[in-house]
Coordinates of all heavy atoms in Angstrom, one line a residue:
M18 N 39.5 -29.8 49.2 CA 39.4 -28.4 49.5 C 40.3 -27.6 48.5 O 41.4 -27.9 48.3 CB 39.8 -28.2 50.9 CG 39.7 -26.7 51.4 SD 40.0 -26.6 53.1 CE 40.8 -25.0 53.1
N19 N 39.7 -26.5 48.1 CA 40.5 -25.6 47.2 C 41.3 -24.6 48.0 O 40.7 -23.9 48.8 CB 39.5 -24.8 46.3 CG 40.2 -24.0 45.2 OD1 41.4 -23.9 45.2 ND2 39.4 -23.4 44.4
D20 N 42.6 -24.6 47.9 CA 43.5 -23.8 48.7 C 43.8 -22.4 48.1 O 44.6 -21.7 48.6 CB 44.8 -24.5 49.0 CG 44.6 -25.7 49.9 OD1 43.7 -25.6 50.8 OD2 45.3 -26.7 49.8
S21 N 43.1 -22.1 47.0 CA 43.4 -20.8 46.3 C 42.9 -19.7 47.2 O 41.8 -19.8 47.8 CB 42.8 -20.7 44.9 OG 41.4 -20.8 45.0
K22 N 43.5 -18.6 47.2 CA 43.1 -17.4 48.0 C 42.1 -16.7 47.1 O 42.3 -16.3 46.0 CB 44.3 -16.5 48.3 CG 45.3 -17.2 49.2 CD 46.3 -16.2 49.7 CE 47.4 -16.8 50.5 NZ 47.1 -17.5 51.6
N23 N 40.9 -16.4 47.8 CA 39.8 -15.7 47.1 C 39.3 -14.6 47.9 O 38.3 -14.0 47.6 CB 38.7 -16.7 46.7 CG 38.1 -17.4 47.8 OD1 38.4 -17.2 49.0 ND2 37.1 -18.3 47.5
V24 N 40.0 -14.3 49.0 CA 39.6 -13.2 49.9 C 40.9 -12.3 50.0 O 41.9 -12.8 50.4 CB 39.2 -13.6 51.3 CG1 38.9 -12.5 52.2 CG2 38.1 -14.6 51.2
H25 N 40.8 -11.0 49.6 CA 41.9 -10.2 49.5 C 41.7 -8.8 50.1 O 40.5 -8.4 50.4 CB 42.3 -9.9 48.0 CG 42.5 -11.2 47.3 ND1 43.6 -11.9 47.4 CD2 41.7 -11.9 46.4 CE1 43.6 -13.0 46.6 NE2 42.4 -13.0 46.0
G26 N 42.8 -8.1 50.4 CA 42.7 -6.7 50.8 C 41.9 -6.4 52.0 O 41.9 -7.0 53.0
L27 N 41.0 -5.4 51.8 CA 40.2 -4.9 52.9 C 39.2 -6.0 53.4 O 38.8 -6.0 54.5 CB 39.4 -3.6 52.5 CG 40.3 -2.4 52.3 CD1 39.4 -1.2 51.9 CD2 41.0 -2.0 53.7
E28 N 38.7 -6.8 52.4 CA 37.8 -7.9 52.8 C 38.5 -8.8 53.8 O 37.9 -9.3 54.7 CB 37.4 -8.6 51.5 CG 36.4 -9.7 51.7 CD 36.0 -10.4 50.5 OE1 36.6 -10.2 49.4 OE2 35.1 -11.3 50.5
R29 N 39.7 -9.1 53.5 CA 40.5 -10.1 54.4 C 40.8 -9.4 55.7 O 40.6 -10.0 56.8 CB 41.8 -10.4 53.7 CG 42.5 -11.5 54.3 CD 43.7 -12.0 53.5 NE 44.4 -13.1 54.2 CZ 45.4 -13.7 53.7 NH1 45.9 -13.4 52.5 NH2 46.0 -14.6 54.4
L30 N 41.2 -8.2 55.7 CA 41.4 -7.4 56.9 C 40.2 -7.3 57.8 O 40.2 -7.5 59.0 CB 42.0 -6.0 56.6 CG 42.4 -5.1 57.8 CD1 43.5 -5.7 58.6 CD2 42.7 -3.7 57.3
G31 N 39.1 -7.0 57.1 CA 37.8 -6.9 57.8 C 37.4 -8.3 58.4 O 36.8 -8.3 59.5
S32 N 37.7 -9.4 57.7 CA 37.4 -10.7 58.3 C 38.2 -11.0 59.5 O 37.6 -11.5 60.5 CB 37.6 -11.8 57.2 OG 36.7 -11.7 56.2
V33 N 39.4 -10.6 59.5 CA 40.3 -10.8 60.7 C 39.8 -10.0 61.8 O 39.5 -10.5 63.0 CB 41.8 -10.5 60.4 CG1 42.6 -10.5 61.7 CG2 42.4 -11.5 59.4
A34 N 39.5 -8.7 61.6 CA 39.1 -7.8 62.7 C 37.7 -8.2 63.2 O 37.5 -8.3 64.4 CB 39.0 -6.4 62.1
G35 N 36.8 -8.5 62.3 CA 35.4 -8.9 62.7 C 35.5 -10.2 63.4 O 34.7 -10.4 64.4
G36 N 36.3 -11.2 63.0 CA 36.4 -12.5 63.7 C 36.9 -12.3 65.1 O 36.4 -12.9 66.0
V37 N 38.0 -11.5 65.2 CA 38.5 -11.3 66.6 C 37.5 -10.6 67.5 O 37.3 -11.0 68.6 CB 39.8 -10.4 66.5 CG1 40.2 -9.9 67.8 CG2 40.9 -11.2 65.8
M38 N 36.8 -9.7 66.9 CA 35.8 -9.0 67.7 C 34.6 -9.9 68.1 O 34.2 -10.0 69.3 CB 35.2 -7.8 66.9 CG 34.2 -6.9 67.7 SD 33.6 -5.6 66.7 CE 32.5 -6.4 65.6
M39 N 34.2 -10.8 67.2 CA 33.1 -11.7 67.5 C 33.6 -12.8 68.5 O 32.8 -13.1 69.4 CB 32.6 -12.4 66.2 CG 31.8 -11.5 65.4 SD 31.1 -12.4 63.9 CE 29.8 -13.3 64.7
V40 N 34.8 -13.3 68.4 CA 35.3 -14.2 69.4 C 35.3 -13.6 70.7 O 34.9 -14.2 71.7 CB 36.7 -14.8 68.9 CG1 37.3 -15.6 70.1 CG2 36.5 -15.7 67.7
G41 N 35.9 -12.4 70.8 CA 36.0 -11.7 72.1 C 34.6 -11.5 72.7 O 34.4 -11.7 73.9
K42 N 33.7 -11.0 72.0 CA 32.3 -10.8 72.5 C 31.7 -12.1 72.9 O 31.0 -12.1 74.0 CB 31.4 -10.1 71.4 CG 31.6 -8.6 71.3 CD 30.7 -8.1 70.3 CE 30.6 -6.6 70.4 NZ 29.5 -6.0 69.6
G43 N 31.9 -13.1 72.1 CA 31.3 -14.4 72.5 C 31.9 -15.0 73.8 O 31.1 -15.5 74.6
L44 N 33.2 -14.8 74.0 CA 33.8 -15.3 75.2 C 33.3 -14.5 76.4 O 33.0 -15.1 77.5 CB 35.3 -15.1 75.1 CG 36.0 -16.1 74.2 CD1 37.5 -15.8 74.0 CD2 35.8 -17.6 74.6
R45 N 33.1 -13.2 76.2 CA 32.6 -12.3 77.4 C 31.1 -12.7 77.6 O 30.7 -12.6 78.8 CB 32.7 -10.9 77.0 CG 34.1 -10.3 77.2 CD 34.2 -8.8 77.1 NE 33.7 -8.3 75.9 CZ 34.4 -8.2 74.7 NH1 35.7 -8.6 74.7 NH2 33.9 -7.7 73.7
R46 N 30.4 -13.0 76.6 CA 28.9 -13.2 76.7 C 28.7 -14.6 77.5 O 27.8 -14.7 78.3 CB 28.3 -13.3 75.4 CG 26.8 -13.5 75.4 CD 26.2 -13.4 74.0 NE 24.8 -13.3 74.1 CZ 24.0 -12.9 73.1 NH1 24.6 -12.7 71.9 NH2 22.7 -12.8 73.2
G47 N 29.4 -15.6 77.1 CA 29.2 -16.9 77.7 C 27.9 -17.6 77.2 O 27.2 -17.0 76.4
G48 N 27.7 -18.7 77.8 CA 26.4 -19.5 77.5 C 26.4 -20.0 76.1 O 27.4 -19.9 75.3
I49 N 25.3 -20.5 75.7 CA 25.1 -21.1 74.3 C 25.2 -20.0 73.2 O 25.8 -20.3 72.2 CB 23.8 -21.9 74.2 CG1 23.7 -22.6 72.9 CG2 22.6 -20.9 74.3 CD1 24.6 -23.8 72.8
F50 N 24.7 -18.8 73.5 CA 24.8 -17.8 72.4 C 26.2 -17.3 72.3 O 26.6 -16.9 71.2 CB 23.8 -16.7 72.7 CG 22.3 -17.1 72.6 CD1 21.5 -17.2 73.7 CD2 21.8 -17.5 71.4 CE1 20.2 -17.6 73.6 CE2 20.5 -17.9 71.2 CZ 19.7 -18.0 72.3
G51 N 26.9 -17.2 73.4 CA 28.3 -16.8 73.4 C 29.1 -17.9 72.6 O 30.0 -17.5 71.8
L52 N 28.8 -19.1 72.8 CA 29.5 -20.2 72.1 C 29.2 -20.1 70.6 O 30.2 -20.3 69.8 CB 29.0 -21.6 72.7 CG 29.7 -22.8 72.1 CD1 31.2 -22.8 72.4 CD2 29.1 -24.1 72.7
I53 N 28.0 -19.9 70.2 CA 27.7 -19.7 68.8 C 28.4 -18.5 68.2 O 29.0 -18.6 67.1 CB 26.1 -19.5 68.6 CG1 25.4 -20.8 69.0 CG2 25.8 -19.1 67.2 CD1 23.9 -20.7 69.1
Q54 N 28.5 -17.4 69.0 CA 29.2 -16.3 68.5 C 30.7 -16.6 68.4 O 31.3 -16.1 67.4 CB 29.0 -15.1 69.5 CG 29.3 -13.8 68.9 CD 28.8 -12.6 69.8 OE1 28.4 -12.8 70.9 NE2 28.8 -11.4 69.2
V55 N 31.3 -17.3 69.3 CA 32.7 -17.7 69.2 C 32.9 -18.6 67.9 O 33.9 -18.4 67.2 CB 33.2 -18.5 70.5 CG1 34.5 -19.1 70.3 CG2 33.2 -17.5 71.7
A56 N 32.0 -19.5 67.7 CA 32.2 -20.4 66.5 C 32.1 -19.6 65.2 O 32.9 -19.7 64.3 CB 31.1 -21.4 66.6
I57 N 31.1 -18.7 65.1 CA 31.0 -17.9 63.9 C 32.2 -17.0 63.8 O 32.8 -16.8 62.7 CB 29.7 -17.1 63.9 CG1 28.5 -18.0 63.8 CG2 29.7 -16.0 62.8 CD1 27.1 -17.3 64.1
G58 N 32.6 -16.4 64.9 CA 33.8 -15.5 64.8 C 35.0 -16.3 64.4 O 35.9 -15.8 63.7
G59 N 35.2 -17.5 64.9 CA 36.3 -18.4 64.5 C 36.3 -18.7 63.0 O 37.4 -18.6 62.4
V60 N 35.2 -18.9 62.4 CA 35.1 -19.2 61.0 C 35.5 -17.9 60.2 O 36.2 -18.0 59.2 CB 33.6 -19.6 60.6 CG1 33.5 -19.6 59.1 CG2 33.3 -21.0 61.2
V61 N 35.0 -16.8 60.7 CA 35.3 -15.5 60.0 C 36.8 -15.2 60.1 O 37.4 -14.7 59.2 CB 34.4 -14.3 60.6 CG1 34.8 -13.0 60.0 CG2 32.9 -14.6 60.2
L62 N 37.3 -15.4 61.3 CA 38.7 -15.2 61.6 C 39.6 -16.1 60.7 O 40.6 -15.7 60.1 CB 39.1 -15.4 63.0 CG 40.5 -15.2 63.5 CD1 40.9 -13.8 63.2 CD2 40.6 -15.5 65.0
A63 N 39.2 -17.4 60.6 CA 40.0 -18.3 59.7 C 39.9 -17.9 58.3 O 40.9 -18.0 57.6 CB 39.4 -19.7 59.9
R64 N 38.8 -17.4 57.9 CA 38.6 -16.8 56.5 C 39.6 -15.7 56.2 O 40.3 -15.7 55.2 CB 37.2 -16.3 56.3 CG 36.9 -15.7 55.0 CD 35.4 -15.2 55.1 NE 34.9 -14.7 53.8 CZ 35.0 -13.5 53.4 NH1 35.5 -12.5 54.1 NH2 34.5 -13.2 52.2
G65 N 39.8 -14.8 57.2 CA 40.7 -13.7 57.0 C 42.1 -14.2 57.1 O 43.0 -13.7 56.3
I66 N 42.5 -15.1 58.0 CA 43.8 -15.5 58.1 C 44.3 -16.3 56.9 O 45.4 -16.1 56.4 CB 44.0 -16.4 59.4 CG1 43.9 -15.5 60.6 CG2 45.3 -17.1 59.4 CD1 43.8 -16.2 62.0
T67 N 43.4 -17.3 56.4 CA 43.8 -18.1 55.3 C 43.7 -17.4 54.0 O 44.3 -17.8 53.0 CB 43.0 -19.4 55.3 OG1 41.6 -19.1 55.1 CG2 43.1 -20.2 56.6
G68 N 42.8 -16.4 53.9 CA 42.5 -15.8 52.6 C 41.6 -16.6 51.7 O 41.6 -16.4 50.5
H69 N 41.0 -17.6 52.3 CA 40.1 -18.5 51.5 C 38.7 -18.6 52.1 O 38.6 -18.8 53.3 CB 40.7 -19.9 51.4 CG 39.9 -20.8 50.6 ND1 39.8 -20.8 49.2 CD2 39.0 -21.8 51.0 CE1 38.9 -21.7 48.8 NE2 38.4 -22.3 49.9
S70 N 37.7 -18.5 51.3 CA 36.3 -18.7 51.7 C 35.7 -19.8 50.8 O 35.5 -19.6 49.6 CB 35.6 -17.4 51.6 OG 34.2 -17.6 51.9
S71 N 35.3 -20.9 51.5 CA 34.6 -21.9 50.7 C 33.2 -21.5 50.2 O 32.8 -21.8 49.1 CB 34.4 -23.2 51.6 OG 35.6 -23.7 52.0
L72 N 32.5 -20.7 51.0 CA 31.3 -20.1 50.6 C 31.4 -19.3 49.4 O 30.6 -19.4 48.4 CB 30.6 -19.3 51.8 CG 29.3 -18.6 51.4 CD1 28.3 -19.7 51.1 CD2 28.8 -17.8 52.6
K73 N 32.4 -18.5 49.3 CA 32.7 -17.6 48.2 C 33.0 -18.5 46.9 O 32.5 -18.2 45.8 CB 33.9 -16.7 48.4 CG 33.9 -15.5 47.6 CD 35.0 -14.5 48.1 CE 34.9 -13.2 47.2 NZ 35.9 -12.3 47.7
D74 N 33.7 -19.6 47.1 CA 33.9 -20.6 46.0 C 32.6 -21.1 45.5 O 32.3 -21.2 44.3 CB 34.7 -21.7 46.5 CG 36.2 -21.5 46.3 OD1 36.6 -20.5 45.7 OD2 37.0 -22.3 46.9
K75 N 31.7 -21.5 46.4 CA 30.4 -22.1 46.0 C 29.6 -21.0 45.3 O 28.9 -21.4 44.3 CB 29.6 -22.6 47.2 CG 30.3 -23.7 48.0 CD 30.3 -25.0 47.1 CE 31.0 -26.1 47.8 NZ 31.4 -27.2 47.0
L76 N 29.6 -19.8 45.8 CA 28.8 -18.7 45.1 C 29.3 -18.5 43.7 O 28.6 -18.3 42.7 CB 28.9 -17.4 45.9 CG 28.1 -17.4 47.2 CD1 28.4 -16.2 48.0 CD2 26.6 -17.6 46.9
E77 N 30.6 -18.5 43.5 CA 31.3 -18.3 42.2 C 30.9 -19.5 41.3 O 30.6 -19.3 40.1 CB 32.8 -18.2 42.3 CG 33.5 -17.9 41.0 CD 33.0 -16.7 40.3 OE1 32.6 -15.7 40.9 OE2 33.0 -16.7 39.0
Q78 N 30.9 -20.7 41.8 CA 30.5 -21.9 41.0 C 29.1 -21.7 40.5 O 28.8 -22.0 39.4 CB 30.6 -23.2 41.8 CG 32.1 -23.7 41.9 CD 32.1 -24.9 42.8 OE1 31.2 -25.3 43.5 NE2 33.3 -25.6 42.8
G79 N 28.2 -21.3 41.4 CA 26.8 -21.1 41.1 C 26.7 -20.0 40.0 O 25.9 -20.2 39.1
R80 N 27.4 -19.0 40.1 CA 27.4 -17.9 39.1 C 27.8 -18.4 37.8 O 27.2 -18.1 36.7 CB 28.3 -16.7 39.6 CG 28.1 -15.5 38.8 CD 28.9 -14.3 39.4 NE 28.5 -14.0 40.8 CZ 29.4 -14.1 41.8 NH1 30.6 -14.4 41.7 NH2 28.9 -13.8 43.0
Q81 N 28.9 -19.2 37.8 CA 29.4 -19.7 36.5 C 28.4 -20.7 35.9 O 28.2 -20.7 34.7 CB 30.7 -20.5 36.7 CG 31.9 -19.5 37.0 CD 33.1 -20.3 37.4 OE1 33.2 -21.5 37.5 NE2 34.2 -19.5 37.6
E82 N 27.7 -21.5 36.7 CA 26.7 -22.4 36.2 C 25.5 -21.6 35.6 O 25.0 -22.0 34.6 CB 26.2 -23.4 37.3 CG 27.3 -24.4 37.7 CD 26.9 -25.2 38.9 OE1 25.8 -25.1 39.4 OE2 27.8 -26.0 39.3
M83 N 25.1 -20.5 36.3 CA 24.0 -19.7 35.8 C 24.4 -19.1 34.4 O 23.6 -19.1 33.5 CB 23.7 -18.6 36.8 CG 23.0 -19.1 38.0 SD 21.3 -19.7 37.7 CE 20.5 -18.2 37.2
N84 N 25.6 -18.7 34.3 CA 26.1 -18.1 33.0 C 26.1 -19.2 31.9 O 25.7 -18.9 30.8 CB 27.5 -17.5 33.1 CG 27.5 -16.2 33.9 OD1 26.4 -15.5 34.0 ND2 28.6 -15.8 34.5
T85 N 26.4 -20.4 32.2 CA 26.4 -21.5 31.3 C 25.0 -21.8 30.8 O 24.7 -21.9 29.6 CB 27.0 -22.8 31.9 OG1 28.4 -22.5 32.3 CG2 27.0 -23.9 30.9
V86 N 24.1 -21.8 31.8 CA 22.7 -22.0 31.5 C 22.1 -20.9 30.6 O 21.4 -21.1 29.6 CB 21.8 -22.2 32.8 CG1 20.3 -22.2 32.5 CG2 22.2 -23.5 33.5
R87 N 22.4 -19.7 31.0 CA 22.0 -18.5 30.2 C 22.5 -18.6 28.8 O 21.7 -18.3 27.8 CB 22.5 -17.2 30.8 CG 22.0 -16.0 30.1 CD 22.5 -14.7 30.7 NE 22.1 -14.5 32.1 CZ 22.9 -14.4 33.1 NH1 24.2 -14.5 33.0 NH2 22.4 -14.2 34.3
T88 N 23.7 -19.0 28.6 CA 24.3 -19.1 27.2 C 23.5 -20.2 26.4 O 23.2 -20.0 25.3 CB 25.8 -19.4 27.3 OG1 26.4 -18.4 28.0 CG2 26.4 -19.6 25.9
K89 N 23.3 -21.3 27.1 CA 22.5 -22.4 26.4 C 21.1 -21.9 26.0 O 20.7 -22.2 24.9 CB 22.5 -23.6 27.3 CG 23.8 -24.3 27.4 CD 23.7 -25.5 28.3 CE 25.0 -26.2 28.4 NZ 25.0 -27.4 29.3
I90 N 20.5 -21.2 26.9 CA 19.1 -20.7 26.6 C 19.1 -19.7 25.5 O 18.3 -19.8 24.6 CB 18.5 -20.1 27.9 CG1 18.1 -21.2 28.9 CG2 17.2 -19.3 27.5 CD1 17.7 -20.7 30.3
E91 N 20.1 -18.8 25.5 CA 20.2 -17.9 24.4 C 20.5 -18.6 23.1 O 19.9 -18.2 22.0 CB 21.3 -16.9 24.7 CG 20.9 -15.9 25.8 CD 22.1 -15.0 26.3 OE1 23.2 -15.2 25.9 OE2 21.8 -14.1 27.0
R92 N 21.3 -19.6 23.1 CA 21.6 -20.4 21.9 C 20.4 -21.1 21.3 O 20.1 -21.0 20.1 CB 22.7 -21.4 22.1 CG 23.2 -22.1 20.9 CD 24.4 -23.1 21.1 NE 25.4 -22.5 22.0 CZ 25.8 -23.1 23.1 NH1 25.3 -24.2 23.6 NH2 26.8 -22.5 23.9
V93 N 19.6 -21.7 22.2 CA 18.4 -22.4 21.8 C 17.4 -21.4 21.3 O 16.7 -21.7 20.3 CB 17.8 -23.2 23.0 CG1 16.4 -23.7 22.7 CG2 18.7 -24.4 23.3
G94 N 17.3 -20.2 21.9 CA 16.4 -19.2 21.5 C 16.7 -18.7 20.0 O 15.8 -18.6 19.2
A95 N 18.0 -18.6 19.8 CA 18.4 -18.2 18.4 C 18.1 -19.3 17.4 O 17.7 -19.0 16.3 CB 19.9 -17.9 18.4
E96 N 18.3 -20.6 17.8 CA 18.0 -21.7 16.9 C 16.5 -21.7 16.6 O 16.1 -21.9 15.5 CB 18.4 -23.0 17.5 CG 20.0 -23.2 17.5 CD 20.4 -24.4 18.3 OE1 19.6 -25.3 18.6 OE2 21.6 -24.5 18.5
L97 N 15.7 -21.5 17.7 CA 14.2 -21.5 17.5 C 13.8 -20.3 16.5 O 12.9 -20.5 15.7 CB 13.5 -21.3 18.8 CG 13.4 -22.6 19.7 CD1 12.9 -22.3 21.0 CD2 12.6 -23.7 19.0
K98 N 14.4 -19.2 16.7 CA 14.1 -18.0 15.8 C 14.5 -18.4 14.4 O 13.7 -18.1 13.4 CB 14.9 -16.8 16.3 CG 14.6 -15.6 15.5 CD 15.3 -14.4 16.1 CE 15.0 -13.1 15.3 NZ 15.6 -11.9 15.8
N99 N 15.6 -19.0 14.2 CA 16.0 -19.4 12.8 C 15.0 -20.5 12.2 O 14.7 -20.4 11.1 CB 17.4 -20.0 12.8 CG 18.5 -19.0 13.0 OD1 18.3 -17.8 12.8 ND2 19.7 -19.4 13.5
L100 N 14.6 -21.4 13.1 CA 13.6 -22.4 12.6 C 12.3 -21.7 12.2 O 11.7 -22.1 11.2 CB 13.4 -23.4 13.7 CG 14.4 -24.5 13.9 CD1 14.2 -25.4 15.1 CD2 14.5 -25.4 12.6
K101 N 11.9 -20.8 13.0 CA 10.6 -20.0 12.7 C 10.8 -19.3 11.4 O 9.9 -19.3 10.6 CB 10.3 -19.0 13.9 CG 9.1 -18.2 13.6 CD 8.9 -17.2 14.7 CE 7.6 -16.4 14.4 NZ 7.6 -15.2 15.2
T102 N 11.9 -18.6 11.2 CA 12.1 -17.9 10.0 C 12.1 -18.8 8.8 O 11.5 -18.6 7.7 CB 13.4 -17.1 10.0 OG1 13.4 -16.2 11.2 CG2 13.7 -16.3 8.8
S103 N 12.8 -20.0 8.9 CA 12.8 -21.0 7.8 C 11.5 -21.5 7.5 O 11.1 -21.7 6.4 CB 13.8 -22.1 8.2 OG 15.1 -21.7 8.4
A104 N 10.7 -21.7 8.6 CA 9.3 -22.2 8.4 C 8.4 -21.2 7.7 O 7.6 -21.5 6.8 CB 8.7 -22.6 9.7
E105 N 8.6 -19.9 8.1 CA 7.8 -18.9 7.4 C 8.2 -18.7 5.9 O 7.3 -18.6 5.1 CB 8.0 -17.5 8.1 CG 7.4 -17.5 9.5 CD 7.8 -16.3 10.3 OE1 8.7 -15.6 10.0 OE2 7.1 -16.0 11.3
V106 N 9.5 -18.8 5.6 CA 10.0 -18.7 4.3 C 9.4 -19.9 3.5 O 8.9 -19.8 2.3 CB 11.5 -18.7 4.2 CG1 12.0 -18.9 2.8 CG2 12.0 -17.3 4.7
A107 N 9.5 -21.1 4.0 CA 9.0 -22.3 3.3 C 7.5 -22.2 3.1 O 7.0 -22.6 2.1 CB 9.3 -23.5 4.2
S108 N 6.8 -21.6 4.1 CA 5.3 -21.5 4.0 C 5.0 -20.5 2.9 O 4.0 -20.7 2.1 CB 4.7 -21.0 5.3 OG 3.4 -20.8 5.2
E109 N 5.7 -19.4 2.8 CA 5.5 -18.4 1.7 C 5.7 -19.0 0.4 O 5.0 -18.7 -0.6 CB 6.3 -17.2 2.0 CG 5.9 -16.3 3.1 CD 6.9 -15.2 3.4 OE1 7.8 -14.9 2.6 OE2 6.7 -14.5 4.5
K110 N 6.8 -19.8 0.2 CA 7.1 -20.4 -1.1 C 6.0 -21.4 -1.5 O 5.8 -21.5 -2.7 CB 8.5 -21.1 -1.0 CG 9.6 -20.1 -1.0 CD 11.0 -20.8 -1.0 CE 12.1 -19.8 -1.0 NZ 13.4 -20.5 -1.0
S111 N 5.5 -22.1 -0.5 CA 4.5 -23.1 -0.9 C 3.2 -22.5 -1.2 O 2.4 -23.2 -1.9 CB 4.4 -24.2 0.2 OG 3.8 -23.6 1.4
T112 N 2.9 -21.3 -0.8 CA 1.6 -20.7 -1.1 C 1.6 -19.9 -2.3 O 0.6 -19.4 -2.8 CB 1.1 -19.9 0.1 OG1 2.1 -18.9 0.4 CG2 0.8 -20.7 1.3
V113 N 2.8 -19.6 -2.8 CA 2.9 -18.8 -4.0 C 2.7 -19.5 -5.3 O 2.6 -20.6 -5.5 CB 4.3 -18.1 -4.1 CG1 4.5 -17.3 -5.4 CG2 4.5 -17.2 -2.9

């Protein structure tokens, strides 16, 4: 588990407040839906208290992987363009 803090400021405060509110509502509601609400509220509360969100880590990893793929695609596109230009130049020289 990555222990770095990736939730800060108002986002962290909002997580604590929202988590407390959800846990409270879930306890008052009771039943299976109340239990689900308590569980979700607990996760949100833990996110605010610890300042770490595993989901946010996964999203950032996905974003970085997408950027890597985009860079590779752009590089291959540039190489293809260079190959096309070279082929056109070679074709012109051979027909002259």
